[in-house]
Every structure is written in structure tokens, then in C-alpha cells.
Amino acid sequence: MTTTHEVLNQAPPLEGHDTAHDPALLAGIEREGAGWALDEIHELGRLAGTAEAREWGRLAERVPPRLHTHDRYGHRVDEVEYVPAYHRLMETAVTHGLHAAPWSDDRPGAHVARAAKFMVWSVDAGHGCPVSMTYAAVPALRHAPALAARLEPLLTSREYDPGLRDPATKRGLIAGMSMTEKQGGSDVRANTTTATPRPDGTYEVVGHKWFTSAPMSDLFLTLAQAPGGLSCFALPRVLPGGERNPIRFMRLKDKLGNKSNASSEIEYDHATGWLVGEEGAGVRTIVEMVNMTRLDCVIGSASGMRTALVLATHHARHRRAFGKALLDQPLMRNVLADLTIESEAATTAMLRLAGANDRAVRGDEGESALRRLALAVTKYAVCKRAPMAAGEALECLGGNGYVEDFDLARIYRELPLLSIWEGSGNVAALDALRAMAREPHTVDAFFAEAELAVGADRRYDEALARLKKELTSFDDIELRARRIVEQLALVFQGGQLVRHAPTAVADAFCATRLAGDWGHAFGTLPAGLDLDPILERAASGL
């Protein structure tokens, strides 16, 4: 039989590499006090680079979860069925402590180590949602000490134990959260779900939640209107003794992004809940939860950008056009170097925030103040930039990038979520302004951090001065919120790079993002920059 063609000039599959082999990531891990975890991080990174793990991610995405509201006899069951690959992903994440494990680890840097693992375990975004929510649930649950005493050891356990059973009989638990309602969205005070006290100390919860991800989680934190105002409650899927809590699944959402995680619409049909914190203090109770999930939005965005960059660089090394490798073509070098700068800025800022988070949860008030403002502005900016970076990386592969068989299409579809989750752009920007107005010590902490980089680069110093001038006027401040927050984020990233990144990376960031010698698309770096060391960092570990 005559073959019609031989496959030539295609990049081989990217397999057998270590996703933790990222210079910006490794330097930040050491700097932020988690160097003791490097062996564990590399172990997970090598697993993430295997064909087997990538296949788990592919199968979990290609065979989405199925909703079963009733069994074959007509009994109400409200269950979601996942393929085995999804459970392999969850088991790996829990075993390696990507969920709530740091809350039971007294070692300084435990939360930094967890952030790094969350970044390198990049084979599937969907299962990261319940992993992230489990991590974020612990500080909120601590507002109910008796409840936390029962649940926290199971939430921090490194045993993944799926299936709906009495939580007291399980080896480990996964937590979710259910805040959003169709009439309110980010305006959680518009919630209409009600919680009525019962004589036994529990509450009867009735209401409809518009978005509830990972509905097979063992318990949910939710907001509902109690007699004393909007309050936070914990609702288990299975009540003590084994009876199902009447939490009804209405449908699964058909999302733009990942398909592997079930995002559902649910009803609390006179369900049983336990109060977490005080009545009327629901928003205050979940603030720490929001801090944790916002950090995970930044981690996920940094991870997506790095993965997209590595895939594009791998392709460019192997693909030839017009007589030489794409990686040797001047304009492609400009694009990939520009993407590298964006990726390293996100990763370096993320690790500084992970370090601040680690020290904040251990009682450092100064780091807590820095985290409050720097996290809000970084969440806004990095999560906005990530989809654009992924789109540019996708374009490096041409038509292949647009095909679902290649990972970049999946990354591109997923990244807009992280700009929406925990407050879309306007909400995040206005929250940063709120922090500055109501908690002025956060501004002091931010600028104290920014001042540490002064004197190393004139362009950085000038950007910091412009930012301070921008903040001297409060006229039309809400109208200018995005502009202000973007400048805050760029100064924060620039300060970290000037202090910690190689000269070539910091120089390029300051020339473009701070001094404005840059176009509107990636690949518009000016002439005269040293691109070789930047591109070497993009290809590290390949």
C-alpha cells in the first residue's frame, strides 16, 4: 500500500519533563522559606510531566461528570458520577497536600510549599476547584471551634476518601462553598436563602444557589439570611447517623472552561446547617476564605501562563519554517521572550504573596496588611493578563493550538474563570479601593514593600512616583479604579523583579510594563534587550 505522506516537521509530545523546573519558581520557593519542600515539589513536577498523568487530565476532561438525580427505582439520590481518572487526579492532589494539609503543618513555609505544588500539578484545572475550596474552608470553620475540632483533622488528612457517608466514618473530607445566587452574583448581601433556627441548635436552610462547584464534596460553606442577618453555615451532604441532607441538584452547568469539574445549580430543601461564626457576620466570617481562594486564582493563572509558555517554547524548538527553527526566528523570539517576562512577573509576585500568606496565618500583622492590598491588586491584574498570554501562546502553535487534542486550547478556555472567580474585574478593583480607604495600614505596608526596590532602576522609581501622584486625588476615584489597581500591580511585580529576577528579565519588564516602550500585543519588546537569557529560562527543563 502506498502511503500518501510521511509526518514531518511536527513537535514530539512534551512528556518526561519536570514541571517544577522553573527558575523563577525555584528561586521564590527558597526565598519564601519553603526550600525544605523542594524534593516533594520536584516529585510532583515529574509526575505532572508524565504521559500517564497527562492522560488522567485528558480523560477527566473528555468524559465529563454525569448528574444522577434519581436511581433506577425512582429514589432521589442527587449524585454526580466521575470517571476513574478524575479520582486519580484528586487522590494525587490530596496525597501531596495540595488541599488543606498546610493547616496541620507547623513548619514555616508550609503554605508556600503548597502554593508551589498547586502550581506544578498542572495536568487538569477542574479538580483544582474542590482542592482549593477545601484549603480555604479551614480558616472560616475556625469561627466555629467545636465544629472545626471535629472536621479539621479530616479536612487536613492526606487520604482521599470519595463517596457520600457520615463524615465521622470517613478517612478524609473535601469541602465546597455555595455563595452565589442568580439575583445577586458578587452582591452576596442580596442572597435570599433563609436559615431558621431550630431548638437543637441547628438551622433549617431553604434556598436556591446558582453556582455550586464540586457538588459531591462532603460539606459546603454557604451564606443564608438568619434572623440576625446574613450568616455563614456549614451543611454536610450526609448528616450524622448517615441520613442524606436534602440538598437537591437541579442541573450541571455547561461551562466555557473545564469540563472535568461539575459546577451545579442546587436547592436547599429544608436542609440542616450549623452556624459558623455569629449571626449577621457571614461576610466577615468568610473573609479569610476569600483570601485563600484569591491566592489560588493567582496561582492558577501563573500556572496556566507558565504551562502555555513551555508548550509554545517546546513547539518553537522543534517546528521549522523558512529554513530554521521557529525559536531562532527574530519575531518569534520577541513573542516568547515577552511571554516569559509576563510569566515570571506573575510567578514571582505569586510567591511573595504566598510567603505573606504563610506569615500572616502565623500572626504577622505586617504581612497580613501587605497581603490584603497586594493580593487584591495582583488577583485583578494577573488574572486579567493570563487569558491574553495563553491566547498568544496558542497562536505560536497555529492551527494545532486551536485543536482540543493540544493542551493549549484547554488552558485558553479555562483561564478567564480565574478573573471571574472571587470577584470579576470591577469587583476586585473596587475591593482594592475599599481596602485602601478603610484599612490605611494596608497602603503603608504596600509602599513599605515597594520602597525596598528603590534605587535599583530609574524606570521603577519613576513608576512608583507616578503611582503616588495618582493617589493624591480622590476625584472620580471609582471611575479610575482599574487604572489605579493596574499601576499598583505593576509596581508590585516590578519591585519583586528588580530585587530578585535576573537583570535581563527585570530590565525588560521595566522598559516595557513600567516605562511604556511596548505595544498593545505580546511580541512588541523594543530592540536592544538581551533576549538570550530570558529565552533560556523559558526552555528550562525541556
Side-chain angles (χ1 to χ4, degrees):
M1 179 177 178
T2 303
T3 58
T4 58
H5 72 278
E6 181 183 355
V7 176
L8 301 170
N9 201 24
Q10 290 283 353
L14 177 55
E15 295 169 355
H17 67 296
D18 178 358
T19 63
H21 210 302
D22 171 358
L25 176 69
L26 296 175
I29 291 167
E30 292 276 11
R31 192 167 57 246
E32 297 299 337
W36 51 266
L38 281 173
D39 287 346
E40 302 170 30
I41 294 165
H42 278 296
E43 177 188 353
L44 187 60
R46 287 190 293 270
L47 177 59
T50 63
E52 181 183 24
R54 291 166 65 87
E55 182 66 2
W56 296 341
R58 188 189 73 83
L59 287 173
E61 183 73 5
R62 285 301 181 92
V63 188
R66 294 179 60 195
L67 171 62
H68 301 286
T69 56
H70 297 77
D71 68 12
R72 59 182 173 171
Y73 300 107
H75 303 116
R76 188 93 199 199
V77 293
D78 295 294
E79 294 187 4
V80 174
E81 178 186 6
Y82 298 91
V83 293
Y86 177 88
H87 293 294
R88 294 297 301 273
L89 294 166
M90 286 293 297
E91 181 181 30
T92 302
V94 171
T95 300
H96 285 268
L98 275 65
H99 63 315
W103 298 108
S104 61
D105 191 339
D106 292 332
R107 289 175 293 182
H111 293 268
V112 178
R114 182 259 172 193
K117 291 177 184 178
F118 200 68
M119 179 168 176
V120 305
W121 183 235
S122 54
V123 295
D124 169 73
H127 79 288
C129 184
V131 170
S132 178
M133 292 189 295
T134 304
Y135 175 62
V138 170
L141 278 172
R142 287 178 175 178
H143 289 273
L147 196 60
R150 296 203 314 270
L151 297 177
E152 192 170 323
L154 293 168
L155 290 168
T156 60
S157 166
R158 293 200 180 203
E159 293 193 64
Y160 175 57
D161 188 2
L164 296 179
R165 302 192 304 279
D166 182 345
T169 69
K170 299 191 71 176
R171 302 186 307 276
L173 301 178
I174 297 296
M177 57 181 174
S178 188
M179 311 292 179
T180 307
E181 297 188 2
K182 52 191 168 185
Q183 79 286 347
S186 295
D187 183 8
V188 294
R189 294 189 184 278
N191 281 6
T192 59
T193 298
T194 61
T196 305
R198 292 170 172 162
D200 64 359
T202 65
Y203 284 71
E204 184 176 276
V205 181
V206 177
H208 187 118
K209 295 295 181 179
W210 190 237
F211 279 104
T212 300
S213 283
M216 289 299 285
S217 299
D218 296 291
L219 70 146
F220 297 101
L221 291 180
T222 197
L223 291 175
Q225 300 287 356
L230 189 66
S231 309
C232 183
F233 297 90
L235 283 77
R237 284 294 318 275
V238 180
L239 298 168
E243 181 185 355
R244 295 281 182 96
N245 209 2
I247 300 173
R248 308 304 186 198
F249 297 173
M250 310 310 293
R251 59 176 172 170
L252 300 186
K253 300 290 192 179
D254 187 7
K255 306 187 300 293
L256 164 69
N258 75 78
K259 307 297 182 183
S260 58
N261 177 46
S263 292
S264 64
E265 195 173 327
I266 69 170
E267 286 188 355
Y268 296 127
D269 186 10
H270 303 276
T272 297
W274 281 263
L275 181 65
V276 177
E278 301 174 358
E279 278 197 13
V283 174
R284 188 167 70 247
T285 300
I286 64 167
V287 163
E288 278 299 301
M289 190 173 192
V290 169
N291 280 332
M292 302 305 157
T293 47
R294 277 187 174 173
L295 177 59
D296 279 5
C297 288
V298 177
I299 298 169
S301 295
S303 177
M305 278 195 275
R306 175 65 187 181
T307 304
L309 169 65
V310 168
L311 289 168
T313 303
H314 173 74
H315 176 84
R317 290 179 70 189
H318 293 277
R319 181 80 167 178
R320 296 183 65 81
F322 309 110
K324 54 185 175 182
L326 282 178
L327 190 57
D328 295 328
Q329 300 283 2
L331 193 52
M332 181 60 78
R333 289 169 59 79
N334 195 318
V335 171
L336 291 173
D338 212 352
L339 289 172
T340 304
I341 295 160
E342 195 73 27
S343 172
E344 296 219 359
T347 298
T348 304
M350 176 275 286
L351 287 163
R352 178 64 184 94
L353 292 169
N357 183 58
D358 190 84
R359 290 180 280 275
V361 299
R362 299 175 196 281
D364 188 319
E365 294 183 1
E367 290 289 274
S368 180
L370 175 65
R371 180 188 64 175
R372 174 66 180 96
L373 181 54
L375 179 55
V377 302
T378 303
K379 193 272 182 191
Y380 169 86
V382 169
C383 296
K384 283 283 185 195
R385 295 291 296 168
M388 290 182 274
E392 195 67 60
L394 183 153
E395 192 172 321
C396 292
L397 273 67
N400 283 352
Y402 199 66
V403 175
E404 290 286 347
D405 291 337
F406 292 80
D407 292 344
L408 272 166
R410 190 194 322 174
I411 295 170
Y412 182 66
R413 284 191 289 105
E414 177 65 14
L415 284 175
L417 167 67
L418 299 177
S419 190
I420 296 170
W421 192 23
E422 293 302 0
S424 52
N426 287 352
V427 173
L430 293 172
D431 181 61
L433 293 189
R434 187 181 305 111
M436 296 170 72
R438 297 181 181 179
E439 306 168 73
H441 62 290
T442 65
V443 181
D444 296 337
F446 181 92
F447 282 108
E449 179 78 11
E451 293 288 344
L452 295 175
V454 168
D457 189 291
R458 172 186 53 80
R459 296 158 300 187
Y460 173 79
D461 297 349
E462 291 172 352
L464 180 57
R466 287 195 301 273
L467 172 61
K468 290 179 178 179
K469 183 177 180 181
E470 185 84 33
L471 294 175
T472 59
S473 171
F474 295 98
D475 294 340
D476 299 321
I477 194 162
E478 286 197 9
L479 184 67
R480 294 185 292 122
R482 287 189 176 215
R483 176 186 176 92
I484 291 169
V485 169
E486 183 177 282
Q487 289 183 56
L488 284 162
L490 289 174
V491 164
F492 182 69
Q493 289 180 313
Q496 299 304 312
L497 292 178
V498 165
R499 293 170 59 200
H500 305 303
T503 300
V505 175
D507 179 41
F509 185 92
C510 290
T512 56
R513 278 71 168 170
L514 298 183
D517 191 358
W518 200 31
H520 293 288
F522 287 101
T524 54
L525 297 175
L529 297 175
D530 187 2
L531 302 189
D532 286 343
I534 299 175
L535 290 168
E536 287 172 8
R537 293 170 74 80
S540 180
L542 295 180

